[in-house]
Amino acid sequence: MQMMTRNVLLNMELEEDDDEDGDIVLENFDQTIVCPTSGSLESQQDFRTPEFEEFNGKADSLFFTDGQRRIDFVLVYEDESKKENNKKGTNEKQKRKRQAYESNLICHGLQLEATRSVSDDKLVFVKVHAPWEVLCTYAEIMHIKLPLKPNDLKTRSAFGTLNWFTKVLRVNESVIKPEQEFFTAPFEKSRMNDFYILDRDSFFNPATRSRIVYFILSRVKYQVMNNVNKFGINRLVSSGIYKAAFPLHDCKFNYESEDPSCPSERYLLFREWAHPRSIYKKQPLDLIRKYYGEKIGIYFAWLGYYTQMLLLAAVVGVACFLYGYLDQDNCTWSKEVCDPDIGGQILMCPQCDKLCPFWRLNITCESSKKLCIFDSFGTLIFAVFMGVWVTLFLEFWKRRQAELEYEWDTVELQQEEQPRPEYEAQCNHVVINEITQEEERIPFTTCGKCIRVTLCASAVLFWILLIIASVIGIIVYRLSVFIVFSTTLPTNPNGTDPIQKYLTPQMATSITASIISFIIIMILNTVYEKVAIMITNFELPRTQTDYENSLTMKMFLFQFVNYYSSCFYIAFFKGKFVGYPGDPVYWLGKYRNEECDPGGCLLELTTQLTIIMGGKAIWNNIQEVLLPWVMNLIGRYQRVSGSEKITPRWEQDYHLQPMGRLGLFYEYLEMIIQFGFVTLFVASFPLAPLLALVNNILEIRVDAWKLTTQFRRMVPEKAQDIGAWQPIMQGIAILAVVTNAMIIAFTSDMIPRLVYYWSFSIPPYGEHTYYTMDGYINKTLSVFNITDFKNTDKENPYIGLGNYTLCRYRDFRNPPGHPQEYKHNIYYWHVIAAKLAFIIVMEHVIYSVKFFISYAIPDVSKITKSKIKREKYLTQKLLHESHLKDLTKNMGLIAERMGGVVDNSVRPKLE
């Protein structure tokens, strides 16, 4: 490896700290550096600067001007001498830092070439190339697995006899050719002859080359301050010294490259993956993994599998919805509500004090008809089905994930994940490792770690309490605005006026509160994203995986409370603690607690879910599609000369949008929140899987379009699984059984109706001679005498609202004049017992089925286990045989030399 004799570090004692990366020497990284640091220099004559070359006019070129050295990474900066707004001293300091950094990149063996922008003379593009020796050295350091020999194991198709049918759904193999399979092993320079090296230029594919170069870029030092070193491209970009750093796309997304040696993988991905005409086809996962890396590949594999499983849930959900829709004509209790002789004659008590009038039950006729669709026997069947479905999905995904680990060669991911530069920067405490008994550096002591964890936990708790406070604010809004709607909206049904027919005070309150709740959710979501990142940065996780897992748990905990709190309130708290008209419960001593419709709060929960799921999908699409497209469009219009000159590949990529350091984190978060809506509250909205299915079919192609056309190419990363999202989904699956059981028991009216049908419609409690739902409404609405208002601190709110003496309310209490008037009656205790029994039975049945399914379906299939063991055996055998061959060859040479020495020493004696 050709390297300089020393690094160059700027000595700036008074320089301000920049941002996030390191502050001390990276010990592990320094062990790989051949050229030692010999001092601190400031004069620019010591800097090794990149060669400046003019653009050669080849727009699709991925090479230096010589056409031989491939561009592995691009750094972009604004020429400090041409900056207008900044101070001269600041510009000079930034220039020296950049020059020192580039000089040290050259010291580490990288080759640099600079070219000025063709459209903006201020911009300079520094192209980075890693020579063969550098790639080999760092491939061994990073434990990158590379090909040993072609894999001759036969693979059996997963579809068997269905190949003829699935061929239509698969990508055309003549367009995207299948990748050749290899036996692989962690690269070692000493065993280079064992590896399958046909061509040095293609042995390391572009994704691997970019990974290696980024590893070096993120750890090279550029400045010393107060006897500590500063390093890392992330800090230089965040401080504005560099404007961007990224690997190149291989061509335009809508045209093949003019270079015949370029595979034009970006074009193939756009054509066969991101284009709308490919929406029905399977994803080319192997090409996605090859181009973007395993981390992005595993995300799209998971999203595609989740979408396939949603198809089954959507079909069953639509069937249950249609059952409820077609069966609503047999909904006896809804007919009684709409009947002028029954619901029209039932006078309901006011639902707020003084301002709310008495009202007739039949004004809720339309909402009761809608409720019959969702609150049916099909809902119970669907809730049980979804409890089993989610377990099947998680277990089969584990098997699919194991197959991908084998196919993508991440089964034994031996790459020891390197510590984050931000972590190493703070390692100023020396401790003795209990296992190795050697000294190692850590960023803080045990006491310091406890303090950090306590502060981080307190910050997260504070924000969760802030969300709960916003939920309480929404509840107060509901209570106050319901009074307004009750006084402004008509209380008598009028079939000719659609507002009177459909928009009841309860419905108007529910819709407006749901919209306001959604707006607050999105605002808090935007703010907390930044707060969660700040908290995680302060926590200082060791590796990038630890960082993402920590941030994942914080963000999901916040999002869980943010998105689901209003749904939990409607499902399990609204209308449950209202007292009765003679002794109502007041919030804050002022607002009377909210009540549900006579049919329950299930329809309101359905409305809330529809608004949040639909609004979230629309908002995310605006953020993911419209925003980057508009930003790129504005950028193109600002580049006046862009249409007049040929623009090189690196400049075209620079004007695309950056993906961000967290990459696919927000994509995962969006889908997991959706997964929660589909599973946690599906008993109230059986069409949720259908909405999720449609959204995900579009989401896959939108994400594909966004990656291939609007964003710069991300640095490829290795990944074995989906990380912390797997246990989060398992936790949601367990909680979903409880929530759906409680929704059916406490939110819907299914249990009270079943109790009435089987126990209270016939003697001794009923008057009918056969099981029936006739008389259900009259039986389940309690009676109140308006003169029996018990709160002496308040004036009777019912006096003066009309010439009425009795009204009805939704509860199971004894009527006035009864020895235990206004106490819960026998029907109430039957219903409570039935609800508790239902929850216990449903939970135990579903949990038993879930446990059996988890036990019966192994995480790794027998075929995949056999393949893994077979490949491991053949790989070890290959390496062992190669080692024996070398050993035998060396022993033969030694024997020949020893034989020659013996012959030379014996021959004179014989003579």
Side-chain angles (χ1 to χ4, degrees):
M1 187 189 307
Q2 294 181 354
M3 294 189 177
M4 286 179 57
T5 56
R6 63 178 176 176
N7 282 333
V8 179
L9 297 178
L10 295 180
N11 188 0
M12 298 182 179
E13 300 295 337
L14 301 178
E15 186 68 41
E16 294 182 358
D17 194 12
D18 293 321
D19 195 13
E20 295 182 358
D21 282 358
D23 280 348
I24 72 165
V25 176
L26 304 183
E27 293 186 347
N28 295 336
F29 186 66
D30 282 349
Q31 293 172 2
T32 70
I33 299 174
V34 176
C35 46
T37 300
S38 61
S40 299
L41 301 172
E42 289 194 37
S43 64
Q44 296 186 13
Q45 65 220 17
D46 294 298
F47 292 144
R48 306 291 292 184
T49 58
E51 305 171 359
F52 266 84
E53 298 287 348
E54 293 294 328
F55 172 50
N56 58 12
K58 297 180 180 179
D60 287 338
S61 176
L62 301 175
F63 297 88
F64 281 16
T65 306
D66 58 16
Q68 301 296 321
R69 292 172 291 175
R70 184 182 181 88
I71 302 172
D72 299 316
F73 226 86
V74 176
L75 310 178
V76 187
Y77 69 89
E78 187 175 354
D79 193 340
E80 293 83 4
S81 63
K82 298 186 178 183
K83 288 184 178 180
E84 299 175 355
N85 300 327
N86 293 332
K87 296 180 180 178
K88 184 176 180 180
T90 303
N91 292 343
E92 188 62 29
K93 289 178 182 178
Q94 290 187 345
K95 181 178 181 180
R96 294 205 307 273
K97 291 178 184 179
R98 177 181 56 76
Q99 290 176 332
Y101 181 72
E102 292 173 359
S103 180
N104 289 337
L105 290 179
I106 298 174
C107 172
H108 283 81
L110 298 178
Q111 298 175 3
L112 309 182
E113 181 182 270
T115 301
R116 287 198 179 274
S117 168
V118 298
S119 60
D120 186 353
D121 195 47
K122 297 177 183 178
L123 293 179
V124 178
F125 294 86
V126 179
K127 294 161 283 184
V128 183
H129 168 76
W132 171 258
E133 286 295 325
V134 173
L135 294 172
C136 291
T137 300
Y138 285 97
E140 183 173 2
I141 293 168
M142 298 170 67
H143 305 283
I144 295 177
K145 299 176 81 173
L146 292 168
L148 286 171
K149 63 173 293 187
N151 186 341
D152 55 0
L153 294 177
K154 294 182 179 180
T155 58
R156 190 175 67 181
S157 173
F159 299 98
T161 57
L162 294 177
N163 273 337
W164 62 271
F165 176 74
T166 59
K167 184 178 180 180
V168 180
L169 305 177
R170 296 199 302 268
V171 176
N172 190 347
E173 293 186 356
S174 63
V175 178
I176 299 180
K177 298 179 180 179
E179 293 292 321
Q180 185 178 5
E181 298 291 334
F182 290 93
F183 295 121
T184 60
F187 185 78
E188 296 179 26
K189 291 178 68 176
S190 60
R191 287 186 166 184
M192 190 177 296
N193 293 332
D194 296 337
F195 288 86
Y196 191 75
I197 306 176
L198 296 179
D199 179 12
R200 286 189 173 189
D201 293 334
S202 60
F203 181 64
F204 293 97
N205 63 37
T208 304
R209 297 176 70 99
S210 298
R211 281 178 55 211
I212 293 174
V213 172
Y214 182 74
F215 180 85
I216 300 172
L217 292 176
S218 62
R219 285 161 172 80
V220 166
K221 303 181 288 291
Y222 62 87
Q223 176 190 357
V224 60
M225 187 180 74
N226 299 328
N227 295 322
V228 295
N229 293 316
K230 294 185 177 296
F231 52 85
I233 187 61
N234 292 332
R235 161 172 278 178
L236 291 170
V237 171
S238 62
S239 61
I241 296 175
Y242 285 102
K243 297 180 74 67
F246 52 88
L248 286 179
H249 283 296
D250 64 352
C251 66
K252 291 183 178 180
F253 70 86
N254 52 352
Y255 296 104
E256 290 188 84
S257 175
E258 296 179 359
D259 185 353
S261 62
C262 178
S264 300
E265 292 174 344
R266 184 191 186 193
Y267 168 74
L268 292 177
L269 285 172
F270 173 74
R271 175 184 167 184
E272 301 295 328
W273 179 42
H275 199 279
R277 69 185 177 194
S278 301
I279 195 169
Y280 66 93
K281 290 186 178 181
K282 292 190 174 183
Q283 302 180 82
L285 293 176
D286 288 334
L287 184 59
I288 297 170
R289 168 245 183 172
K290 179 185 177 184
Y291 192 76
Y292 287 110
E294 285 78 4
K295 195 168 189 178
I296 290 183
I298 199 72
Y299 164 74
F300 281 103
W302 171 80
L303 181 56
Y305 197 81
Y306 170 45
T307 304
Q308 291 177 18
M309 291 294 291
L310 276 175
L311 179 61
L312 176 61
V315 170
V316 178
V318 170
C320 292
F321 174 80
L322 292 176
Y323 169 80
Y325 179 80
L326 297 175
D327 192 59
Q328 63 178 330
D329 292 336
N330 299 322
C331 190
T332 306
W333 67 271
S334 177
K335 291 180 179 179
E336 291 184 350
V337 171
C338 298
D339 191 340
D341 296 329
I342 301 177
Q345 299 301 317
I346 295 178
L347 184 71
M348 301 297 294
C349 298
Q351 293 185 312
C352 65
D353 292 345
K354 293 185 179 179
L355 297 178
C356 295
F358 292 92
W359 52 286
R360 298 291 176 179
L361 180 60
N362 62 342
I363 71 168
T364 61
C365 175
E366 293 300 324
S367 62
S368 69
K369 290 179 180 178
K370 296 171 188 170
L371 190 60
C372 286
I373 300 175
F374 298 101
D375 193 2
S376 65
F377 183 71
T379 301
L380 172 61
I381 301 300
F382 189 56
V384 174
F385 167 79
M386 288 300 293
V388 177
W389 173 88
V390 70
T391 305
L392 290 173
F393 163 62
L394 293 176
E395 293 303 318
F396 281 124
W397 164 246
K398 291 177 184 176
R399 291 167 66 90
R400 175 59 178 151
Q401 189 170 255
E403 293 175 2
L404 290 175
E405 288 176 15
Y406 168 74
E407 294 172 5
W408 292 354
D409 204 21
T410 58
V411 175
E412 295 178 354
L413 197 59
Q414 296 182 12
Q415 174 188 358
E416 295 180 4
E417 191 173 6
Q418 302 294 327
R420 298 166 62 242
E422 296 87 346
Y423 177 88
E424 292 180 318
Q426 304 296 329
C427 290
N428 49 16
H429 295 279
V430 179
V431 296
I432 302 298
N433 189 298
E434 296 180 357
I435 299 174
T436 62
Q437 294 299 310
E438 296 179 356
E439 289 186 353
E440 65 177 12
R441 290 180 178 271
I442 59 174
F444 32 70
T445 61
T446 303
C447 180
K449 185 175 181 179
C450 291
I451 293 175
R452 284 176 179 261
V453 171
T454 302
L455 291 176
C456 292
S458 301
V460 173
L461 180 62
F462 167 77
W463 278 90
I464 291 176
L465 293 176
L466 183 63
I467 301 171
I468 296 175
S470 70
V471 174
I472 294 175
I474 293 294
I475 295 173
V476 173
Y477 166 82
R478 287 173 175 273
L479 299 176
S480 57
V481 81
F482 178 75
I483 300 174
V484 178
F485 284 132
S486 297
T487 56
T488 56
L489 294 178
T491 56
N492 295 320
N494 186 348
T496 61
D497 192 340
I499 294 180
Q500 296 183 21
K501 190 175 181 181
Y502 295 102
L503 195 60
T504 63
Q506 293 91 345
M507 183 62 69
T509 302
S510 175
I511 293 175
T512 56
S514 298
I515 294 173
I516 294 174
S517 176
F518 171 73
I519 295 173
I520 293 176
I521 283 172
M522 301 313 298
I523 293 174
L524 289 177
N525 182 32
T526 302
V527 175
Y528 184 74
E529 284 179 6
K530 296 178 174 55
V531 174
I533 293 173
M534 292 173 58
I535 295 172
T536 309
N537 289 339
F538 178 75
E539 188 179 323
L540 204 63
R542 182 176 181 272
T543 65
Q544 184 64 22
T545 299
D546 294 338
Y547 180 89
E548 292 182 1
N549 289 345
S550 178
L551 183 61
T552 295
M553 296 306 298
K554 292 182 181 66
M555 284 296 295
F556 178 75
L557 185 61
F558 173 84
Q559 299 275 18
F560 184 90
V561 180
N562 196 15
Y563 279 106
Y564 302 143
S565 55
S566 59
C567 295
F568 273 97
Y569 164 73
I570 295 172
F572 306 124
F573 295 97
K574 182 182 177 183
K576 305 299 186 295
F577 310 100
V578 297
Y580 67 99
D583 189 17
V585 176
Y586 290 90
W587 268 75
L588 308 175
K590 180 180 180 181
Y591 297 105
R592 182 167 162 177
N593 211 343
E594 237 183 330
E595 295 184 29
C596 295
D597 276 337
C601 287
L602 191 67
L603 187 60
E604 186 173 347
L605 179 60
T606 303
T607 304
Q608 179 83 356
L609 286 171
T610 306
I611 290 176
I612 292 181
M613 284 189 69
K616 186 173 180 295
I618 295 172
W619 176 262
N620 288 332
N621 286 328
I622 291 175
Q623 280 189 316
E624 294 179 8
V625 179
L626 193 59
L627 186 60
W629 180 77
V630 169
M631 295 296 292
N632 287 332
L633 190 64
I634 293 173
R636 283 196 295 270
Y637 276 110
Q638 289 177 343
R639 299 190 298 274
V640 179
S641 60
S643 59
E644 302 174 358
K645 298 181 180 179
I646 298 176
T647 307
R649 171 84 267 132
W650 51 85
E651 192 162 348
Q652 295 175 36
D653 285 6
Y654 169 69
H655 291 297
L656 297 176
Q657 296 299 307
M659 187 65 183
R661 294 182 63 184
L662 293 178
L664 293 171
F665 172 80
Y666 297 109
E667 306 295 336
Y668 271 117
L669 185 61
E670 175 189 347
M671 288 296 102
I672 296 300
I673 294 297
Q674 182 207 86
F675 178 77
F677 280 121
V678 168
T679 54
L680 290 174
F681 304 102
V682 75
S684 66
F685 191 35
L687 293 181
L690 177 63
L691 294 182
L693 175 65
V694 174
N695 176 78
N696 288 5
I697 291 174
L698 298 176
E699 180 75 19
I700 291 174
R701 306 304 165 175
V702 165
D703 286 346
W705 175 84
K706 179 177 63 177
L707 282 178
T708 54
T709 67
Q710 303 300 311
F711 284 87
R712 298 170 190 158
R713 189 174 182 177
M714 295 176 62
V715 179
E717 295 182 61
K718 283 279 186 180
Q720 195 171 17
D721 49 37
I722 61 174
W725 302 109
Q726 182 77 26
I728 287 176
M729 286 194 297
Q730 291 173 338
I732 291 175
I734 294 173
L735 181 61
V737 178
V738 180
T739 57
N740 285 302
M742 294 184 67
I743 285 173
I744 294 174
F746 292 105
T747 309
S748 78
D749 260 5
M750 184 176 297
I751 301 300
R753 291 200 299 269
L754 290 175
V755 170
Y756 176 82
Y757 182 83
W758 293 106
S759 298
F760 283 80
S761 63
I762 58 175
Y765 303 110
E767 300 175 354
H768 299 280
T769 58
Y770 55 92
Y771 297 111
T772 181
M773 285 299 297
D774 293 337
Y776 170 76
I777 290 296
N778 189 60
K779 185 74 174 181
T780 55
L781 291 177
S782 299
V783 180
F784 173 68
N785 189 326
I786 63 174
T787 60
D788 292 338
F789 188 73
K790 295 185 177 181
N791 193 335
T792 57
D793 296 332
K794 291 181 178 291
E795 182 182 352
N796 191 327
Y798 310 119
I799 303 298
L801 294 179
N803 189 21
Y804 305 112
T805 56
L806 299 176
C807 61
R808 308 293 289 272
Y809 61 98
R810 188 175 184 270
D811 206 344
F812 308 117
R813 294 178 182 268
N814 293 315
H818 192 278
Q820 294 184 334
E821 65 176 4
Y822 303 125
K823 300 293 184 182
H824 286 120
N825 56 26
I826 189 66
Y827 189 25
Y828 171 82
W829 298 111
H830 275 72
V831 169
I832 289 295
K835 288 181 176 182
L836 295 178
F838 171 80
I839 292 175
I840 293 173
V841 171
M842 181 175 174
E843 286 182 359
H844 280 68
V845 169
I846 296 180
Y847 281 139
S848 299
V849 174
K850 287 168 70 72
F851 174 79
F852 174 77
I853 292 174
S854 301
Y855 177 79
I857 303 176
D859 293 347
V860 184
S861 66
K862 186 177 180 180
I863 296 176
T864 304
K865 284 182 180 179
S866 300
K867 289 180 179 179
I868 293 172
K869 292 178 181 178
R870 176 67 176 165
E871 182 173 342
K872 187 175 181 180
Y873 165 74
L874 292 176
T875 302
Q876 291 177 344
K877 182 180 178 182
L878 178 65
L879 292 174
H880 181 65
E881 288 176 351
S882 177
H883 180 67
L884 287 179
K885 189 183 296 183
D886 293 341
L887 185 62
T888 304
K889 182 178 179 181
N890 292 334
M891 291 295 293
L893 293 174
I894 293 173
E896 289 179 3
R897 291 176 183 175
M898 291 182 65
V901 172
V902 171
D903 289 343
N904 291 335
S905 62
V906 171
R907 189 175 296 111
K909 294 181 180 180
L910 294 176
E911 293 176 352

